[in-house]
Amino acid sequence: MTNPSDSNASREQFGIWLGMLARQWRAEVDRRLSPFILTEARWIILFRLSTADHDLTQKELARVAGVQGPTLVRTLDWLEEKGLIERREVPDDRRAKTVHLTERAEPALRQIQAVIQGVRAQIFADVSDEELEQCLAVFKKIGRQFDAFAGSAEDRDMVIVGQGKK
Amino acid sequence: MTNPSDSNASREQFGIWLGMLARQWRAEVDRRLSPFILTEARWIILFRLSTADHDLTQKELARVAGVQGPTLVRTLDWLEEKGLIERREVPDDRRAKTVHLTERAEPALRQIQAVIQGVRAQIFADVSDEELEQCLAVFKKIGRQFDAFAGSAEDRDMVIVGQGKK
DNA sequence: CAGACTTAAATAGATAGCTATCTATCGTCA
DNA sequence: TGACGATAGATAGCTATCTATTTAAGTCTG
């Protein structure tokens, strides 16, 4: 009931809200994309490709899309099968492949943009630009902390390995 | 480059950020919970049970946890198998079951609270209480919109069914 | 009160994410 | 230059989620 306990409540709820909203968001987008055979996960990849300022390797694409390599591989397999993207070998490095939108993907992307726009219009109905900016600023701060974890995770592992080794 | 386009960019990014953060959050919690065999999804159920003000049926629990029925069923199956919860039949309605924490669950819950607290402390390091409150306020506005969707989805279906029917 | 909706939980099958591991290639340095 | 560690992508298998459907029980109505 006191103020400090309220702020604790906010902290307690935050992660749970994050998960709930993300799931509801995905569900709504998926529902509206269903006529296009696409899902949110697949659309995000196309979107990232369409807004990239240079050819992306799978590794780079995974990073900007915020997923792990194996997750991307499966999504790309599907998109490639449907003829929406293609993988090209990189001459300098035969391990790597760059990913490219096909011509077929372009019109689909435009249609889909409009659908997603529709979701956003309804979802953000009560939210001002300013509130959204503030929220996004918090997201970015939190994102940086997670990145810091990722960076230090290796160190932590090393320590454990160091201790564990005979 | 102009301000309006910046705000569009915020709107474009929001959903993607939401998904990324939710996944990173879950991954970090799961990593720290791994010594306890629990995962975030399972912990959330225990947490909701521990903070409920009355006995919850599966349907009610699914609602407050923000997941669909079938998702909850599988989580409950696991938790029940591990002896952390039990399902009890409701005398008045033989279709329904209420869900209860067992004694075994209580100490585990306390330990886990501390772990989750640790995640929060690091993740929110750069975020003030006020920022967090604002963010949560936006979450709730957005959540209401999704609820409105869910409510109107039935109507929408009815309309479609109505049109489709001979 | 009998049949027709409705509702609670369970089941089936799909998608998307993860970690761990494998294979092929690249780079480095003894 | 040849062996070893690092890197890019692919594969396998697990968890969590969803929608659609099934089963059983409750409710309503002619």
Side-chain angles (χ1 to χ4, degrees), chain B residues 26 39 41-42 68 70-71 74 93-95:
Chain B
R26 148 153 301 163
T39 61
R42 292 160 184 171
Q68 299 298 317
T71 303
R74 285 220 248 184
D93 184 345
R94 281 192 295 160
R95 292 170 307 177

Side-chain angles (χ1 to χ4, degrees), chain A residues 28 32 116-127, chain B residues 11 141-142 144-146 148-149 152 156:
Chain A
E28 186 60 29
R32 299 212 195 186
I116 308 260
Q117 200 83 27
V119 180
R120 285 197 286 257
Q122 277 194 260
I123 289 305
F124 294 143
D126 299 337
V127 182
Chain B
R11 281 164 197 268
K141 286 186 185 182
I142 294 176
R144 268 195 294 278
Q145 288 299 320
F146 280 122
F149 277 164
S152 70
R156 268 186 288 167

Side-chain angles (χ1 to χ4, degrees), chain A residues 6-18:
Chain A
D6 280 4
S7 111
N8 273 339
S10 298
R11 282 165 195 268
E12 269 187 5
Q13 305 271 13
F14 191 91
I16 294 178
W17 269 94
L18 205 56

Side-chain angles (χ1 to χ4, degrees), chain A residues 2-155:
Chain A
T2 63
N3 237 13
S5 89
D6 280 4
S7 111
N8 273 339
S10 298
R11 282 165 195 268
E12 269 187 5
Q13 305 271 13
F14 191 91
I16 294 178
W17 269 94
L18 205 56
M20 278 178 48
L21 282 187
R23 288 201 303 278
Q24 289 184 295
W25 183 282
R26 149 152 300 163
E28 186 60 29
V29 171
D30 282 353
R31 182 153 43 238
R32 299 212 195 186
L33 286 185
S34 58
F36 301 88
I37 45 162
L38 280 174
T39 60
E40 194 200 22
R42 292 162 183 169
W43 167 74
I44 286 178
I45 300 306
L46 298 182
F47 174 72
R48 288 302 191 191
L49 285 173
S50 75
T51 56
D53 60 356
H54 68 284
D55 291 354
L56 298 177
T57 62
Q58 290 190 201
K59 183 182 173 111
E60 290 169 320
L61 179 54
R63 169 143 188 84
V64 299
V67 297
Q68 299 297 317
T71 302
L72 181 63
V73 165
R74 284 217 257 187
T75 306
L76 290 181
D77 287 347
W78 190 94
L79 290 170
E80 193 167 39
E81 188 194 313
K82 300 294 175 190
L84 296 170
I85 59 115
E86 59 181 26
R87 288 184 247 222
R88 292 187 203 147
E89 296 186 355
V90 174
D92 304 346
D93 184 346
R94 280 193 296 162
R95 293 170 305 179
K97 296 174 189 168
T98 51
V99 184
H100 306 265
L101 291 173
T102 61
E103 288 187 7
R104 261 194 74 187
E106 306 284 355
L109 251 174
R110 272 195 303 278
Q111 285 185 292
I112 290 160
Q113 290 292 10
V115 173
I116 308 260
Q117 200 83 27
V119 180
R120 285 197 286 257
Q122 277 194 260
I123 289 305
F124 294 143
D126 299 337
V127 182
S128 70
D129 283 356
E130 198 195 350
E131 287 175 307
L132 212 63
E133 296 285 351
Q134 287 171 342
C135 215
L136 212 57
V138 173
F139 283 4
K140 285 175 183 171
K141 285 186 185 181
I142 293 177
R144 269 195 294 279
Q145 288 299 319
F146 280 122
D147 288 346
F149 277 164
S152 69
E154 293 152 38
D155 298 351

Side-chain angles (χ1 to χ4, degrees), chain B residues 143-166:
Chain B
R144 268 195 294 278
Q145 288 299 320
F146 280 122
D147 288 347
F149 277 164
S152 70
E154 293 153 38
D155 297 350
R156 268 186 288 167
D157 278 348
M158 296 234 222
V159 170
I160 292 164
V161 170
Q163 289 173 337
K165 262 182 186 164
K166 63 253 129 162

